[in-house]
Amino acid sequence: MYSLHDTLTFMNDANLKSIFIPDVEDEDSEELIQIISPEENQLSDSDLPENLPILPIRNTVLFPGVVLPITVGRTKSIRLVKKAYKGDRIIGVVAQKNINTEDPKFVDLHSCGTIAKILKMIVLPDGNTTIIIQGQKRFEITDQVQEEPHHIVGYRIFPDRENSLPKKEQKAIIQSLKDTAAKIMGLSPEVPKEARIAVDNIDNFNFLTHFLSSNVNVEVSDKQELLEMDDPKERAEKLLEFMMKDLQMLELKQEIQEKVHTDIDQQQRDYFLRQQIRVLQDELGQDGPDQEVNALRKKGEEKDWPDEVKVHFYKELDKIMRMIPAASEFPVAMSYVELLVDLPWNEVTEDNFDLNNAKKVLDRDHFGLEKVKDRIIEYLAVRKLKQDLKGPILCLYGPPGVGKTSLGKSIADALNRKYVRMSLGGVHDEAEVRGHRKTYIGAMPGKIIQNLNRAKSSNPVFILDEIDKVSSDFRGDPSSALLEVLDPEQNGTFKDNYLEVDYDLSKVLFIATANSLDTIQPALRDRMEIIDVSGYTLEEKVEIAKKHLIPKQRKEHGLKSTEITFEKGAINKLINDYTRESGVRSLERKVAAVIRSVAKSVAMEEEYDPKITTQRVREILGPEIFDKDNYEDNSVPGVVTGLAWTPSGGDILFIESSLSRGKGKLTLSGQLGDVMKESAVAALSYLRSHSDSLGIDYRVFDHYDLHVHVPAGAIPKDGPSAGITMLTSLASVFTQRKVKKHLAMTGEITLRGKVLPVGGIKEKILAARRAGIKEILMCHKNEKDLEEINPKYLKGLKIHFVEFVPDVLEIALTKQKASNPIEFILPEEK
C-alpha cells in the first residue's frame, strides 16, 4: 500500500544522475518510492512493439507519466527485465488481482495496465535487481501470445481523451487536488518541503491526476479503478473523494496521537507532583496514601472481628499498597476497606434485662397495644435466661396511625439498643437490600449494611417500615432478597454484594410494619411472626389524646399547661366529628390546629378562654366533617345494618332492598365487588328454595323485580361478610316483616344455609359500639375471636352466635309487619 504522505520527492536532472534507491526486498514491499519526473521522452505509437512483454507487479499500479522504482525478485521477472533492458526497454506493467499469487497466470492479471520504459537498471549487492520505470500509455490486453518463459500479450492503446472541461472548472479541480494534497502532506512531517513545491508546480491536468492517483492511500483495486477510467473529470472527482477520506483518517489519527500524548504528559506530571506532595507531607507531618493505609492497618489490628474478615481485610490492604494512587481503582479500594474496618462486626450493646423498667418504658410511650408489649417482655425474659437467643422477626400489622413505627423506637429504648429504621415503601431494586458489586461505578452496600454501619452496633432494633409496599420490576424483586434477611436460619451468614464476606444479622431484632398482609409475598410472610395491631376505641383515643398528643403538641407550640386545657367533651367531639380513622394521626393534626389557634392568641396578647369546649372546637375547626354512623330505625322493611372492615378500622353499612312489579329481575347497585354480588345471588337462591318455610309465595320471585342497594355508592365494597345481612334484607322485604331494633350482623352464607366465620371482628365490634348498636349477630366460630378483645369493649353489647340461616332470621325478623306493607298482585294459579 502506498500513500501520498509516504512519498519522497526529489529534484533531479533529465538524465536521473542522482536517485535514492531504498533497501527493498521485493515488488510487494511497502517501501516503494514514487518519483516526479518531467513528461519527456514520451513514446510514440510507432515506437511500440507489436506484442508486449508483461511484468506483473503487486501492491501498486503504474500510471502514465509517473516514475517508479521497483525491486524485482522473481526469476521469470528478472529474465524479462534483463532482456528488455538490452533491447528496446519497453514492457507492459500490469497489477495482479491477488497479491499472494506467487506465479501469476494470464487470468490472475488485470486486463488494463500501463506501457512503461525502463530508465535504469541497478543490480544490488544482495542479488536483487532494481529498475526505475516511467509510465507511458494505458493499454488493454486483447489476447495471450505466450506464457513461458514470461507473459507476452496482444494489446490495444487507450486513446488519450482531451480534457474538455471549461478552464474555470479545470482550474478549480486542480486547485482542490493540490490543496487536499498539501493538507495531507502537512499532516505528514516526514514528507520534505520539496515534495510540496513539486506538486504545486504540476500544471498538467492529466499528469496531476495520474501522479496523485499513484500515491493516494487506497487499495490496489481502487487505484486500478482510477487507471481504467477514460473520463478525466470522473477520474479527478473519484480521486478527490479518495483523498478526502485519507485526509479525514490522518486528521483523526493526529487527534488521537495528540490526546494520548497529552494524557501521558498529564500522568507523568501528576506522578511527579504526587511525589513532591508526598515529600512535603512527610516534612509537614501530614498523612499521605501510605500513612492512610498504615492507619487502617493499625485500626484493623485493634478491631474485634471474625478471622475470615480479618484475612480478607489485610489481603485488600496489600492490593492497595501495590496500586498507584492516581489509578481510578485506588479510591474505590480505599472506600471498601474503610467500610470493612468501620462496620460493627462483633460490637453489640448490652441489653437491659430489667423487665419492669421495659414494661414501664413501653407503657409510657404507647397506650394499649398489650399484645405487642407482652411479646417484647417475653423476648427479654428468654434472653435473660439464654444469652445466645436469636432475634425474633416480628411483623406489626394494622391500619395507619396506630403507632406501629413509633413502637419500634420505644422497644429500642426499653431494650437499651440502638434504633434503625429503613423505609421499604416504593423500593423496587434488589440492590437496595443486597447492594451493588463494587466493580460498578458508584457502587455501595445495601441499606441493611449501611444502617448497621450508621448504628455502630450489630444488635439494633431494626424497623423495616411499610414492608407490604415493596414493589418489583426488571431490576429485581427486593421482597425475595428480604427472604434471607428475615430468616433466622440464614441471616447469620448474610452476604451483601458489595461487602463480599458474610455478615451476622442473627443478633438484630427485626420489626416489620404493614397495613395489609395481602401484598406480602407468602414465603416472606411465613418467616415473620404476625402481631395484629388493631385500631383504638373511643376511650383509648381519649386517653392517648390526654396522655400523649395534647402534651406533645402543647410543648411543640411553646405553650404552658396553664395556658390551654381540654374538656373531655371537646376531645370526644374531635374524635367523632372531625376524624374517622383507626389510629390517631388525623386526631393529632386536629389537636395541633386547636392549639395553634390558642398559640396565636397568646402571641398576640389577646384575651381568650384557656378551656377548650365543644363549642370552641366548632368555632376553630368549623362545621363537623363527618356524620356519626348511627343506627337507623326499623320502620322500613328491607333495611338491615351490617358490619364492615376497612383499612382505617371498622364501620357500619346499610343494605336496602325494594320490590317493584316486573319479571323477576335482580338489580345490584352501590359499586359492589364480584364477591358481594355473589352473596346477593346466593341469598336470593336460598330464599327461592325455602320460600314455603318462610311464608313467601313462590310467584313473587317471577312477577316482582328486586333491587338491592348499598349506600355510599362512591366507595367500592366487596367481601363475603355481608352475606347474612343481604339475606335478612331480602327476607324482610319479601315477607314485609320489620327487622329487630338496634341489631347489626356480619357473616358469610352458603346455599345450604350455613353461616361461615369472617374476619375483622374487633374492628366491627368497635364500629357497632360507636353507632349505638346493642345486639350483634355473627357465626358461632367467631366466638374465639372475642377472647382477644378487652372485655370492656364488649360491655353493653349482646352478641348472638348462630350456625344456620333460620337462626339468623329467627333473631333478626320480628313478627310485626310494616305499617304500609306491599300488597302483592299475583296471577291465579293454573
Side-chain angles (χ1 to χ4, degrees):
M1 195 73 64
Y2 315 100
S3 62
L4 185 62
H5 48 279
D6 292 330
T7 300
L8 293 177
T9 306
F10 61 91
M11 306 300 294
N12 62 319
D13 61 12
N15 296 320
L16 300 173
K17 294 178 181 178
S18 176
I19 300 177
F20 172 70
I21 305 296
D23 184 10
V24 292
E25 298 179 356
D26 200 0
E27 59 265 37
D28 58 344
S29 169
E30 296 283 345
E31 299 297 329
L32 296 178
I33 301 175
Q34 308 294 342
I35 304 170
I36 296 178
S37 176
E39 293 185 78
E40 57 185 26
N41 299 325
Q42 293 290 328
L43 297 174
S44 63
D45 292 346
S46 60
D47 295 331
L48 301 177
E50 182 179 353
N51 295 314
L52 197 62
I54 298 299
L55 175 65
I57 62 173
R58 320 180 203 190
N59 289 327
T60 192
V61 174
L62 178 65
F63 285 81
V66 177
V67 176
L68 183 70
I70 297 178
T71 299
V72 183
R74 291 188 284 221
T75 305
K76 290 172 67 173
S77 298
I78 292 173
R79 289 174 185 167
L80 166 65
V81 167
K82 288 182 177 180
K83 182 178 178 181
Y85 192 68
K86 291 177 182 179
D88 57 8
R89 298 190 179 186
I90 297 174
I91 58 174
V93 178
V94 181
Q96 295 178 197
K97 294 178 181 177
N98 187 349
I99 65 173
N100 297 319
T101 304
E102 198 60 40
D103 186 14
K105 304 299 182 186
F106 184 73
V107 294
D108 298 323
L109 303 176
H110 286 286
S111 60
C112 179
T114 303
I115 296 174
K117 184 174 182 180
I118 302 175
L119 302 179
K120 192 78 173 178
M121 184 176 74
I122 302 170
V123 179
L124 299 176
D126 59 1
N128 287 330
T129 300
T130 296
I131 60 173
I132 298 174
I133 58 176
Q134 182 182 25
Q136 301 290 326
K137 297 177 180 292
R138 297 183 302 130
F139 73 91
E140 181 184 20
I141 298 175
T142 57
D143 55 56
Q144 181 180 8
V145 176
Q146 73 175 48
E147 195 167 5
E148 295 295 340
H150 52 260
H151 294 289
I152 297 179
V153 299
Y155 66 98
R156 73 176 182 86
I157 300 295
F158 282 112
D160 289 333
R161 291 180 58 180
E162 292 295 330
N163 184 12
S164 58
L165 290 172
K167 284 189 176 182
K168 285 187 178 180
E169 188 174 353
Q170 180 177 326
K171 186 176 180 181
I173 293 176
I174 289 175
Q175 194 59 46
S176 297
L177 290 172
K178 287 184 178 181
D179 290 346
T180 307
K183 290 178 182 178
I184 292 174
M185 289 186 288
L187 293 172
S188 308
E190 67 274 11
V191 177
K193 293 181 180 179
E194 290 80 1
R196 304 174 195 179
I197 297 171
V199 172
D200 286 339
N201 290 331
I202 299 176
D203 296 324
N204 185 283
F205 185 88
N206 285 334
F207 179 65
L208 179 63
T209 57
H210 287 156
F211 174 73
L212 294 177
S213 298
S214 178
N215 293 282
V216 69
N217 186 20
V218 293
E219 300 287 343
V220 174
S221 58
D222 294 327
K223 289 188 178 184
Q224 185 68 31
E225 180 185 354
L226 290 172
L227 179 67
E228 294 176 2
M229 284 184 174
D230 283 337
D231 190 332
K233 179 183 176 183
E234 289 183 9
R235 185 190 304 123
E237 290 175 347
K238 191 70 176 177
L239 171 61
L240 190 58
E241 178 185 337
F242 288 147
M243 291 175 68
M244 291 303 296
K245 288 181 180 177
D246 188 22
L247 177 60
Q248 290 173 2
M249 190 62 67
L250 282 171
E251 288 174 343
L252 181 60
K253 178 181 175 183
Q254 185 185 38
E255 183 181 341
I256 293 172
Q257 287 175 343
E258 288 176 354
K259 184 177 180 181
V260 171
H261 187 264
T262 302
D263 290 345
I264 292 173
D265 288 349
Q266 184 65 32
Q267 288 180 11
Q268 291 175 343
R269 178 176 173 275
D270 291 348
Y271 173 75
F272 289 121
L273 285 175
R274 284 193 177 87
Q275 291 298 108
Q276 293 174 6
I277 290 171
R278 184 172 295 179
V279 172
L280 291 173
Q281 285 174 336
D282 291 341
E283 291 293 329
L284 295 171
Q286 296 179 353
D287 291 342
D290 293 343
Q291 287 82 358
E292 290 179 13
V293 173
N294 292 332
L296 287 172
R297 191 183 299 276
K298 185 178 180 181
K299 196 173 179 181
E301 291 171 357
E302 301 170 355
K303 188 81 174 177
D304 178 19
W305 51 6
D307 293 337
E308 176 192 353
V309 181
K310 190 174 185 179
V311 171
H312 182 72
F313 172 75
Y314 287 125
K315 185 178 178 182
E316 291 295 321
L317 278 185
D318 293 338
K319 281 185 187 177
I320 292 174
M321 292 298 290
R322 295 192 294 270
M323 286 183 185
I324 300 173
S328 59
E329 298 87 357
F330 185 82
V332 176
M334 283 294 289
S335 298
Y336 177 65
V337 294
E338 285 172 359
L339 175 68
L340 281 178
V341 79
D342 287 342
L343 280 173
W345 295 93
N346 292 330
E347 299 171 23
V348 294
T349 55
E350 187 175 347
D351 287 344
N352 182 359
F353 293 115
D354 187 346
L355 304 186
N356 292 322
N357 177 69
K359 192 172 190 322
K360 184 179 178 182
V361 171
L362 294 173
D363 289 338
R364 177 197 68 196
D365 295 339
H366 289 80
F367 187 85
L369 306 178
E370 302 301 331
K371 196 172 181 180
V372 187
K373 296 175 181 177
D374 290 343
R375 182 64 184 88
I376 299 303
I377 298 299
E378 289 170 2
Y379 168 70
L380 265 180
V382 179
R383 275 278 294 165
K384 187 175 182 179
L385 301 175
K386 190 174 187 296
Q387 296 294 326
D388 58 348
L389 177 68
K390 292 181 179 178
I393 314 295
L394 306 180
C395 178
L396 307 181
Y397 154 67
V402 295
K404 299 184 297 296
T405 304
S406 60
L407 186 63
K409 190 170 279 188
S410 298
I411 292 171
D413 290 342
L415 298 177
N416 193 31
R417 290 192 180 190
K418 297 290 183 66
Y419 171 77
V420 175
R421 176 182 168 273
M422 174 182 175
S423 178
L424 295 173
V427 171
H428 49 71
D429 190 353
E430 180 193 347
E432 293 283 338
V433 179
R434 291 188 185 275
H436 299 83
R437 289 177 178 82
K438 66 175 186 286
T439 52
Y440 292 105
I441 296 174
M444 60 178 64
K447 293 289 181 64
I448 303 289
I449 296 299
Q450 287 184 43
N451 282 301
L452 290 177
N453 186 35
R454 197 174 296 118
K456 298 302 177 187
S457 170
S458 283
N459 68 335
V461 173
F462 203 121
I463 303 297
L464 297 171
D465 212 6
E466 310 292 358
I467 199 170
D468 57 323
K469 296 174 181 62
V470 175
S471 57
S472 61
D473 59 11
F474 64 92
R475 284 167 285 196
D477 183 4
S479 62
S480 297
L482 285 170
L483 294 176
E484 181 185 4
V485 176
L486 299 182
D487 190 340
E489 301 301 323
Q490 297 182 42
N491 63 12
T493 55
F494 172 70
K495 181 164 286 187
D496 186 278
N497 290 329
Y498 181 85
L499 206 56
E500 294 182 348
V501 288
D502 293 341
Y503 195 95
D504 185 6
L505 298 178
S506 62
K507 303 184 190 72
V508 180
L509 174 55
F510 285 104
I511 299 177
T513 69
N515 299 129
S516 172
L517 298 178
D518 297 336
T519 55
I520 302 177
Q521 189 183 134
L524 185 59
R525 190 166 63 238
D526 183 60
R527 283 165 165 77
M528 300 185 292
E529 181 181 340
I530 308 295
I531 299 178
D532 189 3
V533 184
S534 56
Y536 297 112
T537 63
L538 174 63
E539 293 79 4
E540 287 176 330
K541 288 183 179 180
V542 170
E543 292 300 318
I544 292 171
K546 285 181 179 179
K547 295 180 179 179
H548 299 283
L549 303 183
I550 294 174
K552 176 185 174 184
Q553 291 300 323
R554 189 173 58 221
K555 182 179 178 182
E556 289 184 358
H557 289 79
L559 295 180
K560 300 174 183 177
S561 58
T562 57
E563 292 176 326
I564 182 172
T565 58
F566 280 79
E567 286 186 348
K568 186 176 180 180
I571 298 174
N572 286 336
K573 186 171 184 64
L574 283 172
I575 296 169
N576 290 326
D577 297 340
Y578 293 93
T579 66
R580 180 162 294 177
E581 58 177 348
S582 292
V584 291
R585 196 168 285 151
S586 294
L587 176 59
E588 183 174 10
R589 285 194 290 267
K590 297 302 178 184
V591 168
V594 173
I595 293 179
R596 278 198 305 273
S597 175
V598 174
K600 184 191 74 171
S601 298
V602 172
M604 297 179 69
E605 299 181 355
E606 298 175 346
E607 291 187 6
Y608 73 97
D609 185 359
K611 182 179 288 188
I612 303 298
T613 61
T614 54
Q615 181 62 31
R616 186 74 187 284
V617 168
R618 197 175 193 281
E619 290 173 1
I620 295 172
L621 299 181
E624 293 80 358
I625 298 174
F626 297 104
D627 293 328
K628 187 175 179 182
D629 285 330
N630 284 325
Y631 165 77
E632 296 182 1
D633 63 56
N634 67 337
S635 58
V636 180
V639 179
V640 183
T641 306
L643 298 175
W645 179 91
T646 68
S648 60
D651 205 349
I652 67 169
L653 54 80
F654 301 99
I655 307 292
E656 301 175 349
S657 300
S658 68
L659 293 172
S660 58
R661 295 192 65 178
K663 297 181 179 180
K665 179 183 175 184
L666 172 63
T667 303
L668 301 172
S669 60
Q671 205 173 159
L672 309 184
D674 291 339
V675 177
M676 205 164 181
K677 289 178 181 178
E678 290 167 0
S679 295
V681 173
L684 182 59
S685 297
Y686 179 85
L687 286 182
R688 281 177 175 270
S689 60
H690 296 80
S691 59
D692 292 341
S693 62
L694 294 172
I696 302 173
D697 192 323
Y698 72 92
R699 292 173 295 173
V700 174
F701 297 108
D702 295 327
H703 294 85
Y704 279 81
D705 291 340
L706 173 63
H707 188 164
V708 178
H709 177 68
V710 183
I715 302 173
K717 310 167 192 72
D718 203 3
S721 64
I724 62 172
T725 314
M726 286 192 166
L727 179 68
T728 304
S729 175
L730 297 185
S732 173
V733 76
F734 278 113
T735 61
Q736 290 295 292
R737 292 162 61 184
K738 291 185 178 181
V739 179
K740 192 174 184 179
K741 288 184 178 182
H742 304 292
L743 175 71
M745 58 190 71
T746 182
E748 182 180 356
I749 60 167
T750 69
L751 282 175
R752 294 178 296 160
K754 292 192 68 175
V755 180
L756 302 181
V758 292
I761 295 300
K762 180 182 177 183
E763 288 81 0
K764 292 175 179 178
I765 289 176
L766 294 179
R769 290 191 76 225
R770 288 196 300 267
I773 299 295
K774 296 179 179 178
E775 295 184 56
I776 297 176
L777 270 171
M778 66 177 66
C779 176
H780 70 102
K781 291 185 178 179
N782 282 124
E783 188 173 0
K784 63 181 184 298
D785 295 319
L786 301 186
E787 297 175 5
E788 298 181 1
I789 301 176
N790 195 317
K792 67 182 180 181
Y793 301 157
L794 304 176
K795 189 176 180 181
L797 284 175
K798 183 177 181 181
I799 300 178
H800 303 276
F801 298 103
V802 293
E803 187 174 358
F804 297 102
V805 168
D807 302 332
V808 175
L809 299 180
E810 180 69 25
I811 298 170
L813 297 181
T814 66
K815 302 296 183 182
Q816 185 182 4
K817 292 279 187 176
S819 55
N820 294 308
I822 298 175
E823 295 292 338
F824 293 110
I825 303 174
L826 302 171
E828 296 183 2
E829 295 188 40
K830 295 181 182 180

